Structure formats: C-alpha cells, structure tokens
Amino acid sequence: MKRLLSILCALCLSAPAWAHKGSDAYLDVRQQGSALTLQLAVALKDLDLLIPVDANADGQVTWAEVQAATPAALALLQSHTGLVGAGPGCTLHWTFDGLEARSDGAYLRATSPAACPPGTALDLRYTLFKAEDSNHRLIVTGHLDGHDLLATAAPQQALPLALRQAVAAPPRAIHGIAATLWDYLQLGMHHLLQGYDHMAFLLALVLPLQLRLGRAAGQGAPVAGRSPWWSLLRTVTAFTVGHSITLALATFGWTEASPRWVEPAIAASIAFTALLNIYPVRVLRPERLALVFGLVHGYGFAGLLIEAAAPAGLLPWALAGFNLGVEAGQLTAVAAWVLLSQVVVRQPWYASAVVRGGSWLLVALAAYWFWLRVV
C-alpha cells in the first residue's frame, strides 16, 4: 500500500502547473438525513505558501514530505473552516483522504463528517489564504436538502457562505438560477483577468489597432467600414464566438482536449499572432485568427468548470454565468488598453516602438511559456 501511495503521489506531483490556472480549492457536500459528508481538496502548491510542504525546497514534493506536512495541513483546515449556526453537533473534524491529480498539479484531499439537523440555518466559514492570496476561490458543489448545490466563496468575504436557510426564515435565493449566474459571472471575470496568457493574446490582437478617442478618432480611416473601431468589434466578436463554442462543448462533455496540448497551443497562439503584427500576411486577418485561436482558448477556460463538477441541474446556468463573466473581463481588459494607449497612440513612434516592440516582447514571452509547458 505504501508503495502504491508513493507511485500515486509521484504521478500527481509530476502534473504540470499551467500558467493561467488560478488558486482554487474544491468542496463537495453530500447529505444523508441529518448526516453530512464534506470533502475538501486544496492544492499542495497553495498549501506550501503556509506550511513547508516542500520541506527541502528542491521543487520536488515526495510522499514522505506529504506525510510529514499532513498534520499541519489538517490543522490549517480545522482553523480556517467551520459550519456556523446549526448546533454543537454540526462541527468539522478533517481527516486525510489521499491525493488527487488536477490539471494544475496535486491536491491534498480531506474529509469531514458533520451532524447537522435539517431545517436549521447552515453557513460555511472559509478563510484559508485570506491574507496570502486575494485571488483564491473556494468552489462548492454537491447535494443538500434535495437540491443541487453550486456556489463560490472568497476567503475575504465578510459573511459566511449560506449553504441552507432556516425553515422559518424569510425566503431568499441561495442556490437558485440567479445566484448561480451571479456567482459564476464573477468567477468567469476573475478567471479571465487573472489569466495572463489570455490577456497577452488579447493584447497581441489589439496592439496594431490605432484606437483613438475624441475628435481624431475617425480620422485616418482609409476605407469606410474599415476603421480601427470596426476591426476591434469584429475581432472581439470572433474571439467570443470561438471560445464560447469550445467552452460549451467541453463543459457538457461532448468533446474534450488535454491540457498537455491546449496549454502549449495557447502560448503558440500568442507568439503567432504577435509575429503577424511584425510580418503581416494579408489573408490572415485579425478576426480570423481570433476565431480559430478562440476555439483553443475555450478549452483553457473550460478547465475550471469541468474540475468544479457542477451538478447537472445547474450546469447550464453556471456555464452561462461563467461565459458572461469571461466576456465582461474581456471587455474590461480591452477598455483598459484603449484608455492606456491614448497616452502614446498619436505619437509618430507608436507603430515602431509600441506595436513592433510590444509584439517582439510578446513573442519572447510566449516562447518562454511554450517551453515551460512542453518540457
């Protein structure tokens, strides 16, 4: 058994950490009568911020190091999680339940029972990484009181996450469609804005567009209908269509793609698009690139939704909210670039210094990411 665990640990820990995957933990909640079972998975790379999981700091976590760090990890979970408002028997006592492999590496899995009477309010307190990582999110799924459970929580939020409301309390939406849409809209926007490879691809697409605000915005358009603003609209729309298609296909399980080729392909898409800013090819228009490469990026976006294992009843609404969040993040990023570029877009050296120079920097950065993701 020990040898088997060692092999499993080695396989989990050898999984590559993809650059755009954020810091997420996963909680699954199941109910049988008044008995609950909670299963929490936290990335070893995240736990290493708080306790010495990689004790000798050699970049390789062994099974022996996992065993040595487990008591401290369980103590962290015990102090940073809790069920609130359902009586003294409704408490958490975490025990080690093994390791599991996800797209961004190995996760420590812990399980806790809890006896929580039906009909009483039940809130989850979660403060893990509150001070260390403002981007960390807990993704909660499962089945509670005959309903699918799907929610997200940030450790910095002021109030605990409501899992169940008291029977006598005024009705309010906790796990309904609207709550799911809102939670996953925020998650999608968060995922896009912290995914720096997706942001780099967007920048490569918009760099050559001289987007000018004010009276001079329409000057210099060579042909009616070919203004930079029209090109921006077509490009952003094409990217949206592309990644929405594969995001939906992958989320519903109709197709799948391994991160082992998707992640290098995302890096390659950045380099290829940036090179075309330097050496343009007439037939490879920005909107065509955005559509084709958007299909690849959609598989990258889908990773989070797939690993969240959303219940089937709420999955379409989670997908819709997540996709809307990605679009909101995309529009925020593009708007930020448009505003920022106004400082220099009218300068005579904009094309050489910003477009060509920025594109060469993106090529170098993407090549480095590509190398990291294939070795």
Side-chain angles (χ1 to χ4, degrees):
M1 176 61 70
K2 183 176 180 180
R3 183 175 181 82
L4 180 61
L5 287 172
S6 298
I7 293 172
L8 175 62
C9 184
L11 290 174
C12 287
L13 296 173
S14 64
W18 306 122
H20 72 268
K21 179 68 168 63
S23 171
D24 304 304
Y26 301 88
L27 178 68
D28 183 70
V29 181
R30 301 290 166 177
Q31 179 184 31
Q32 288 186 339
S34 62
L36 298 182
T37 301
L38 289 81
Q39 189 176 82
L40 177 62
V42 184
L44 291 181
K45 62 180 175 60
D46 292 338
L47 287 172
D48 197 49
L49 295 173
L50 304 176
I51 58 175
V53 177
D54 183 12
N56 58 5
D58 65 350
Q60 299 293 324
V61 180
T62 65
W63 174 241
E65 287 176 319
V66 171
Q67 287 180 304
T70 294
L74 294 176
L76 274 176
L77 299 186
Q78 198 66 43
S79 63
H80 287 281
T81 61
L83 294 175
V84 183
C90 189
T91 56
L92 297 178
H93 301 283
W94 296 106
T95 58
F96 179 67
D97 193 31
L99 297 175
E100 60 183 53
R102 293 180 178 266
S103 65
D104 58 333
Y107 279 62
L108 182 144
R109 188 174 62 238
T111 300
S112 174
C116 303
T120 57
L122 184 61
D123 296 334
L124 174 71
R125 175 180 60 85
Y126 181 83
T127 58
L128 198 61
F129 308 110
K130 179 178 181 178
E132 292 79 14
D133 188 352
S134 61
N135 289 319
H136 181 75
R137 292 295 182 273
L138 176 69
I139 300 174
V140 184
T141 59
H143 202 72
L144 186 64
D145 297 332
H147 300 288
D148 289 332
L149 175 61
L150 186 60
T152 64
Q156 295 82 13
Q157 65 189 42
L159 298 175
L161 175 66
L163 299 179
R164 177 204 288 155
Q165 71 178 109
V167 172
R172 61 191 178 97
I174 294 180
H175 313 304
I177 292 173
T180 298
L181 281 169
W182 176 244
D183 277 354
Y184 274 74
L185 186 149
Q186 296 178 80
L187 190 64
M189 186 170 183
H190 175 79
H191 189 58
L192 186 281
L193 293 177
Q194 73 169 0
Y196 49 80
D197 48 0
H198 299 305
M199 298 280 281
F201 179 71
L202 281 172
L203 180 59
L205 286 173
V206 302
L207 255 183
L209 303 177
Q210 296 193 26
L211 302 163
R212 302 184 182 186
L213 297 172
R215 293 183 178 179
Q219 296 178 3
V223 180
R226 289 192 179 180
S227 73
W229 294 99
W230 177 239
S231 295
L232 176 65
L233 177 62
R234 290 183 305 181
T235 300
V236 171
T237 301
F239 185 56
T240 297
V241 171
H243 71 65
S244 296
I245 290 171
T246 46
L247 175 58
L249 291 176
T251 300
F252 286 118
W254 296 332
T255 184
E256 61 180 352
S258 170
R260 294 187 178 277
W261 74 259
V262 170
E263 299 298 333
I266 288 175
S269 72
I270 301 167
F272 188 80
T273 305
L275 275 174
L276 287 176
N277 293 339
I278 304 167
Y279 305 107
V281 178
R282 184 177 295 273
V283 296
L284 298 178
R285 300 180 63 85
E287 62 269 23
R288 295 173 185 171
L289 289 175
L291 177 62
V292 173
F293 288 139
L295 296 171
V296 178
H297 284 250
Y299 283 117
F301 290 131
L304 180 61
L305 277 180
I306 293 171
E307 294 198 340
L314 290 175
L315 180 58
W317 306 107
L319 172 62
F322 188 82
N323 203 41
L324 287 172
V326 168
E327 301 320 312
Q330 178 178 301
L331 292 175
T332 299
V334 171
W337 168 251
V338 170
L339 293 174
L340 182 64
S341 67
Q342 298 311 300
V343 179
V344 295
V345 70
R346 292 179 174 84
Q347 301 300 322
W349 42 263
Y350 179 83
S352 59
V354 177
V355 178
R356 292 181 64 86
S359 295
W360 276 120
L361 285 175
L362 286 173
V363 169
L365 189 59
Y368 175 65
W369 288 339
F370 182 86
W371 178 80
L372 286 179
R373 297 176 186 191
V374 297
V375 296

